[in-house]
Amino acid sequence: EIYVQSGVMERGNFAAAAGFGMDPEKQGVFSTFCAFIEMLCSEITMARLNNSNVFCHFSHTGIDDMSDNTCHFGINPLFADNGFNDGD
């Protein structure tokens, strides 16, 4: 229904998608680079606690032998992969 292209404001952009996804009939969609996951940890947690429907895509993700494996690769995807079990 709505597509909004915006600048580098990951926290605000994710919060907008999560707010849109708070309606049980709607799905928020968000995408950015994996390097920005650390900026979103608290917003992701709050979206989960508020039962928001948000689909996230983090591009440029993976582990390779040329990167430092701390920012774009390696550690950051693990931050976003920690969810709550149903009922927690």
Side-chain angles (χ1 to χ4, degrees):
E1 293 181 15
I2 295 174
Y3 173 77
V4 177
Q5 183 175 353
S6 60
V8 182
M9 306 180 304
E10 270 67 20
R11 293 181 68 194
N13 296 339
F14 180 86
F20 186 79
M22 286 191 72
D23 183 336
E25 302 294 318
K26 296 184 179 175
Q27 174 77 48
V29 178
F30 173 80
S31 129
T32 190
F33 294 106
C34 183
F36 301 133
I37 288 177
E38 285 183 72
M39 288 188 255
L40 300 172
C41 287
S42 62
E43 283 75 12
I44 291 170
T45 299
M46 291 309 298
R48 286 176 174 151
L49 292 172
N50 288 316
N51 296 314
S52 288
N53 298 311
V54 183
F55 175 79
C56 297
H57 171 74
F58 297 102
S59 64
H60 299 83
T61 305
I63 297 175
D64 67 18
D65 59 353
M66 295 180 66
S67 67
D68 63 5
N69 290 326
T70 60
C71 184
H72 290 78
F73 305 98
I75 295 172
N76 275 356
L78 301 177
F79 287 135
D81 194 34
N82 294 316
F84 296 108
N85 291 326
D86 287 345
D88 283 354

